Amino acid sequence: MATDTAAPAATGYVQPEVDVPALTAVLDGKYADVRDLVRTNLAKYADILEQAEELSVDDFRERVREVVVEMAATGQTGMGFPEEYGGGGDIGASIAAFETLAYGDLSVLVKVGVQFGLFGGAILQLGSKHHHDAYLADLVSGRVMGCFAMTESGHGSNVQALGTVATYDPEAQEFVITTTREDARKDYIGNAAKHAEVAVVFAQLEVGGTSEGVHAFVVPIRDGDEPCAGVRIEDDGRKMGLNGVDNGRLWFDHVRVPRTALLNRFADVTPEGVYESPIENPNRRFFTMLGTLVQGRVCVGGAGINAAKVALAIAVKYAVRRRQFEATSDVEEELLLDYGLHQRRLLPLVARTYALHFAQQVVASQLHDVFSGIADDEHTRRELESRAAGTKALGTWHATRTIQECREACGGAGYLAVNRFAALKADSDIFTTFEGDNHVLLQLVAKGLLTDYASEFEDLDQLGTVRFVTNLAVETVIEKTSVHKLLERVKDLLPGGDEWDQEAGLLDPDYQLAMLRFREEHMLAGVARRLKRGIDQDMNPGEVFSRVQDHVVAAANAHVERLVLEAFVDQVRNLPEGDNRVALTLLCDLFALATIESDRAWFMEHGRLTVQRSKAISREVTGLCRKVRPIAVDLVDAWAVPPEMLRSPDLLG
C-alpha cells in the first residue's frame, strides 16, 4: 500500500527527477519539428487571444481568416496534401500540427479544420485528379476558401437521410441541386456565412428517377461578396463560443453545376446518365465515402486532449503559487497543491491526459498507415474508424470535464476572461458534438465489437445490428468474451490462480489491464444476451435496441478505456530505464487505479472487488497523488504549451 513520500527510507521509494526536455521529446514523437513550428506560430500570433475578447464578431472573423492564411504560408496547415499541390505529403504530420494548434485560440483551430481538414480533405479523398488540379493548390494556400456542407437542420448524425437532392439532367449534362424542404437546409456550416467561395455539398443523387444515395458535389456558393444564383446564405449568428468562425446556413434553389462537379472517386455518372460505381452495395459505398473522412474525428479528439493540457497547465501552476488557510504551519498558509483534496481533483486528470495522449498517438499512427497505403485492408479500416470514434468521444468529454474542474480549482480568478478559461470552456464545448455526437460514436464502436467488423458491417443500421447479433453472432460474442476464457488468460499472467483479482499487486499492469478487459468483455456479452433475449420474446428489434442503448454505450466506453490503458502501458514498457520511466509509471498506475475506483460499484457488483480491496485501491490512488505532487509542474511543463498561450496573469503572475 502507498505511504507518504515523506518517508522514503521505509518504503524504498525514491522521488524521480523528471528530465522535462526528454519527456517532451517522448510526447512529441516523430513530429517534434512540426509541433515546434506550430508553437512558434502560436507565439507569433499570441495577440489573437486578446483580440478574441476585444474585437467585434465581424472584425474577429476577419482577423481569424488572416491568421489562418498567414499560417498556411508557413506550410503548417497543408502538411497532409500532396507535394505537387504545395503540401507536405505526410498525413501524420498534419494531425500533429492540428493537435498542437489547439494550444491556442480555438477559432483559428476550427477554421483550419474546416478549410484544410473538411473542405480540403473531402476534395482530396473523394475527388479525382480533375478536382485535385482544379482546387488543391488554391485551397492549400488559402487563395480559395471553402466549406463542408453535410449537416442539415433536420438530420445531424443521420447523414444517409439528408434531404438535399442532386438530380442529373442528361440533356444539359448538369446536376440540379435543391433544398427540398425547410429542414433540409445545410446548417452550422463553418466558413459558410462569410468567407467560403465553394462548398462540398452532400446530397441524395438521383439519376433517371433512381436514388443512388448520398454523394458529394463541388458547388460554387459565392461570387465575390454575393451569393451565386439560386444560393441563399444566412449567418447562424452568435454562438456559445468559436465566434471567430462564420457558421452559416445554405439553401439551394435548383442550382446547376456541371457533371464534373461530382466528386467521383467512388462513383460517377456518364454524360448519357448512367450511374457507375466499383462498389455495388450502396450502403458499403456510403460508408466507404464517409470512412475517407475519418481524419476529422482523429483531429478533433487530439484537439480536445490538448485543450485539456492548457487548462491543467494553468491550474497546476496556479496551485503551487496560491496559498490558502493555515494547515501545517503557523507562519504561512498552505499551498493549494499540498492539500490532498486538490491533488485528488487535478492529478488524476493529469494522468488521464497523458493516457489519452498516448492513445491518440496510436490512432493517429493507424490513420497515417491506412491513408498512406501501408495498411489498407477493409478490417484495418473498420478498426481505425471504431478507434477514432471512441478516442474522439473520450478525449472530448475529458476536455469538457477537465476545463470545468480546472476553472473551479482556480477560484474567482479562473472566471475572469483574461485567464483563458472562459474561452477554453466556450470554444471547446462543441467538440463533444461536431465530427459525430459522442453517444452516437460509441454506438458505432459497439456495433463493430458486436459484429467483429464483419463484411456485413456497412449494411447494418440499428435494427440490422440487432438481427445480425441475435441470428448469427450472439454465441460467438459470448464465447469470445466468456469470463472463463478471460480468467484462463489472466491466470497465465498473474499470481493467485482463481483468486487473481484478490492476490495480484494493485500496481501490476497486467492486473490493471485484466480488470478493464473483464469489465469490457462482461458488458459486451451482457449486451449480446439482452439483444437475443428480446428477439426470443418477439419484441420489435428497434425497441430491443432502445432498451439496451445505455448498456451498449457503457460497453463501448469500457472497450475504449481498456485501449487507452493498453496504449499507456505499452509506452511505459518501451521507455528506457530511468527517472522519466518512473514518473510515467506513477501516472499510468494513477490512471488505471483511478479508472477502476471510479467504477468500483460495477466491479463490486460483479464480484471482482471486495470491500477491503476497493478501499486499498482508494488508498493507493491517494498515495500516488502524493508521489506525483512534487513532479506535477514538470509533468505539465513537458507538454510544452507556449507560455504566451497560458497567459493568465492573475493566476501565473
PDB file of all heavy atoms in Angstrom, residues 248-261:
ATOM      1  N   GLY A 248     -22.797  29.205 -40.886  1.00  0.00           N
ATOM      2  CA  GLY A 248     -23.966  29.699 -41.589  1.00  0.00           C
ATOM      3  C   GLY A 248     -24.858  28.599 -42.116  1.00  0.00           C
ATOM      4  O   GLY A 248     -24.574  27.404 -41.983  1.00  0.00           O
ATOM      5  N   ARG A 249     -25.976  29.042 -42.731  1.00  0.00           N
ATOM      6  CA  ARG A 249     -26.960  28.136 -43.328  1.00  0.00           C
ATOM      7  C   ARG A 249     -26.964  28.343 -44.838  1.00  0.00           C
ATOM      8  O   ARG A 249     -26.762  29.457 -45.325  1.00  0.00           O
ATOM      9  CB  ARG A 249     -28.355  28.408 -42.766  1.00  0.00           C
ATOM     10  CG  ARG A 249     -28.441  28.296 -41.256  1.00  0.00           C
ATOM     11  CD  ARG A 249     -29.872  28.521 -40.749  1.00  0.00           C
ATOM     12  NE  ARG A 249     -29.925  28.285 -39.305  1.00  0.00           N
ATOM     13  CZ  ARG A 249     -30.072  29.241 -38.391  1.00  0.00           C
ATOM     14  NH1 ARG A 249     -30.208  30.499 -38.767  1.00  0.00           N
ATOM     15  NH2 ARG A 249     -30.094  28.941 -37.114  1.00  0.00           N
ATOM     16  N   LEU A 250     -27.232  27.252 -45.546  1.00  0.00           N
ATOM     17  CA  LEU A 250     -27.263  27.299 -47.004  1.00  0.00           C
ATOM     18  C   LEU A 250     -28.541  26.653 -47.534  1.00  0.00           C
ATOM     19  O   LEU A 250     -28.943  25.587 -47.059  1.00  0.00           O
ATOM     20  CB  LEU A 250     -26.059  26.554 -47.600  1.00  0.00           C
ATOM     21  CG  LEU A 250     -24.657  27.063 -47.245  1.00  0.00           C
ATOM     22  CD1 LEU A 250     -23.611  26.080 -47.726  1.00  0.00           C
ATOM     23  CD2 LEU A 250     -24.415  28.438 -47.853  1.00  0.00           C
ATOM     24  N   TRP A 251     -29.165  27.320 -48.505  1.00  0.00           N
ATOM     25  CA  TRP A 251     -30.289  26.755 -49.252  1.00  0.00           C
ATOM     26  C   TRP A 251     -29.913  26.752 -50.733  1.00  0.00           C
ATOM     27  O   TRP A 251     -29.238  27.667 -51.215  1.00  0.00           O
ATOM     28  CB  TRP A 251     -31.542  27.601 -49.095  1.00  0.00           C
ATOM     29  CG  TRP A 251     -32.185  27.623 -47.754  1.00  0.00           C
ATOM     30  CD1 TRP A 251     -33.282  26.917 -47.350  1.00  0.00           C
ATOM     31  CD2 TRP A 251     -31.831  28.460 -46.630  1.00  0.00           C
ATOM     32  NE1 TRP A 251     -33.627  27.235 -46.055  1.00  0.00           N
ATOM     33  CE2 TRP A 251     -32.754  28.183 -45.589  1.00  0.00           C
ATOM     34  CE3 TRP A 251     -30.827  29.400 -46.406  1.00  0.00           C
ATOM     35  CZ2 TRP A 251     -32.699  28.818 -44.346  1.00  0.00           C
ATOM     36  CZ3 TRP A 251     -30.752  30.025 -45.177  1.00  0.00           C
ATOM     37  CH2 TRP A 251     -31.683  29.735 -44.160  1.00  0.00           C
ATOM     38  N   PHE A 252     -30.406  25.756 -51.462  1.00  0.00           N
ATOM     39  CA  PHE A 252     -30.132  25.654 -52.894  1.00  0.00           C
ATOM     40  C   PHE A 252     -31.460  25.555 -53.649  1.00  0.00           C
ATOM     41  O   PHE A 252     -32.255  24.644 -53.402  1.00  0.00           O
ATOM     42  CB  PHE A 252     -29.259  24.427 -53.191  1.00  0.00           C
ATOM     43  CG  PHE A 252     -27.945  24.451 -52.462  1.00  0.00           C
ATOM     44  CD1 PHE A 252     -27.795  23.795 -51.245  1.00  0.00           C
ATOM     45  CD2 PHE A 252     -26.861  25.136 -52.976  1.00  0.00           C
ATOM     46  CE1 PHE A 252     -26.595  23.817 -50.563  1.00  0.00           C
ATOM     47  CE2 PHE A 252     -25.653  25.165 -52.301  1.00  0.00           C
ATOM     48  CZ  PHE A 252     -25.515  24.519 -51.083  1.00  0.00           C
ATOM     49  N   ASP A 253     -31.679  26.491 -54.552  1.00  0.00           N
ATOM     50  CA  ASP A 253     -32.919  26.526 -55.330  1.00  0.00           C
ATOM     51  C   ASP A 253     -32.582  26.219 -56.788  1.00  0.00           C
ATOM     52  O   ASP A 253     -32.284  27.107 -57.587  1.00  0.00           O
ATOM     53  CB  ASP A 253     -33.575  27.904 -55.198  1.00  0.00           C
ATOM     54  CG  ASP A 253     -34.915  27.988 -55.925  1.00  0.00           C
ATOM     55  OD1 ASP A 253     -35.394  26.942 -56.422  1.00  0.00           O
ATOM     56  OD2 ASP A 253     -35.458  29.099 -56.009  1.00  0.00           O
ATOM     57  N   HIS A 254     -32.589  24.897 -57.122  1.00  0.00           N
ATOM     58  CA  HIS A 254     -32.297  24.450 -58.484  1.00  0.00           C
ATOM     59  C   HIS A 254     -30.972  25.028 -58.987  1.00  0.00           C
ATOM     60  O   HIS A 254     -30.889  25.625 -60.070  1.00  0.00           O
ATOM     61  CB  HIS A 254     -33.448  24.810 -59.434  1.00  0.00           C
ATOM     62  CG  HIS A 254     -34.725  24.106 -59.087  1.00  0.00           C
ATOM     63  ND1 HIS A 254     -35.619  24.602 -58.149  1.00  0.00           N
ATOM     64  CD2 HIS A 254     -35.244  22.935 -59.536  1.00  0.00           C
ATOM     65  CE1 HIS A 254     -36.643  23.769 -58.043  1.00  0.00           C
ATOM     66  NE2 HIS A 254     -36.441  22.738 -58.867  1.00  0.00           N
ATOM     67  N   VAL A 255     -29.949  24.858 -58.172  1.00  0.00           N
ATOM     68  CA  VAL A 255     -28.610  25.330 -58.536  1.00  0.00           C
ATOM     69  C   VAL A 255     -27.976  24.301 -59.475  1.00  0.00           C
ATOM     70  O   VAL A 255     -27.911  23.110 -59.161  1.00  0.00           O
ATOM     71  CB  VAL A 255     -27.740  25.520 -57.273  1.00  0.00           C
ATOM     72  CG1 VAL A 255     -26.305  25.868 -57.666  1.00  0.00           C
ATOM     73  CG2 VAL A 255     -28.335  26.608 -56.388  1.00  0.00           C
ATOM     74  N   ARG A 256     -27.508  24.763 -60.626  1.00  0.00           N
ATOM     75  CA  ARG A 256     -26.936  23.865 -61.630  1.00  0.00           C
ATOM     76  C   ARG A 256     -25.403  23.879 -61.570  1.00  0.00           C
ATOM     77  O   ARG A 256     -24.781  24.947 -61.512  1.00  0.00           O
ATOM     78  CB  ARG A 256     -27.407  24.252 -63.037  1.00  0.00           C
ATOM     79  CG  ARG A 256     -28.872  23.917 -63.279  1.00  0.00           C
ATOM     80  CD  ARG A 256     -29.321  24.262 -64.682  1.00  0.00           C
ATOM     81  NE  ARG A 256     -30.660  23.722 -64.930  1.00  0.00           N
ATOM     82  CZ  ARG A 256     -30.899  22.532 -65.485  1.00  0.00           C
ATOM     83  NH1 ARG A 256     -29.886  21.777 -65.878  1.00  0.00           N
ATOM     84  NH2 ARG A 256     -32.146  22.117 -65.659  1.00  0.00           N
ATOM     85  N   VAL A 257     -24.834  22.669 -61.569  1.00  0.00           N
ATOM     86  CA  VAL A 257     -23.375  22.521 -61.620  1.00  0.00           C
ATOM     87  C   VAL A 257     -23.055  21.484 -62.689  1.00  0.00           C
ATOM     88  O   VAL A 257     -23.875  20.604 -62.986  1.00  0.00           O
ATOM     89  CB  VAL A 257     -22.792  22.074 -60.260  1.00  0.00           C
ATOM     90  CG1 VAL A 257     -22.957  23.168 -59.218  1.00  0.00           C
ATOM     91  CG2 VAL A 257     -23.408  20.773 -59.782  1.00  0.00           C
ATOM     92  N   PRO A 258     -21.886  21.554 -63.312  1.00  0.00           N
ATOM     93  CA  PRO A 258     -21.560  20.604 -64.389  1.00  0.00           C
ATOM     94  C   PRO A 258     -21.414  19.171 -63.873  1.00  0.00           C
ATOM     95  O   PRO A 258     -21.230  18.943 -62.676  1.00  0.00           O
ATOM     96  CB  PRO A 258     -20.236  21.140 -64.936  1.00  0.00           C
ATOM     97  CG  PRO A 258     -19.664  21.973 -63.846  1.00  0.00           C
ATOM     98  CD  PRO A 258     -20.828  22.569 -63.118  1.00  0.00           C
ATOM     99  N   ARG A 259     -21.491  18.232 -64.762  1.00  0.00           N
ATOM    100  CA  ARG A 259     -21.375  16.811 -64.412  1.00  0.00           C
ATOM    101  C   ARG A 259     -20.075  16.524 -63.670  1.00  0.00           C
ATOM    102  O   ARG A 259     -20.017  15.664 -62.777  1.00  0.00           O
ATOM    103  CB  ARG A 259     -21.451  15.962 -65.693  1.00  0.00           C
ATOM    104  CG  ARG A 259     -21.472  14.453 -65.465  1.00  0.00           C
ATOM    105  CD  ARG A 259     -21.522  13.715 -66.796  1.00  0.00           C
ATOM    106  NE  ARG A 259     -20.317  13.939 -67.577  1.00  0.00           N
ATOM    107  CZ  ARG A 259     -19.199  13.199 -67.463  1.00  0.00           C
ATOM    108  NH1 ARG A 259     -19.147  12.198 -66.596  1.00  0.00           N
ATOM    109  NH2 ARG A 259     -18.146  13.473 -68.210  1.00  0.00           N
ATOM    110  N   THR A 260     -19.029  17.265 -64.009  1.00  0.00           N
ATOM    111  CA  THR A 260     -17.722  17.043 -63.381  1.00  0.00           C
ATOM    112  C   THR A 260     -17.659  17.560 -61.942  1.00  0.00           C
ATOM    113  O   THR A 260     -16.647  17.389 -61.266  1.00  0.00           O
ATOM    114  CB  THR A 260     -16.629  17.736 -64.198  1.00  0.00           C
ATOM    115  OG1 THR A 260     -16.999  19.113 -64.390  1.00  0.00           O
ATOM    116  CG2 THR A 260     -16.463  17.063 -65.557  1.00  0.00           C
ATOM    117  N   ALA A 261     -18.743  18.195 -61.474  1.00  0.00           N
ATOM    118  CA  ALA A 261     -18.763  18.673 -60.083  1.00  0.00           C
ATOM    119  C   ALA A 261     -18.929  17.526 -59.090  1.00  0.00           C
ATOM    120  O   ALA A 261     -18.661  17.700 -57.893  1.00  0.00           O
ATOM    121  CB  ALA A 261     -19.889  19.684 -59.889  1.00  0.00           C
TER     122      ALA A 261
END
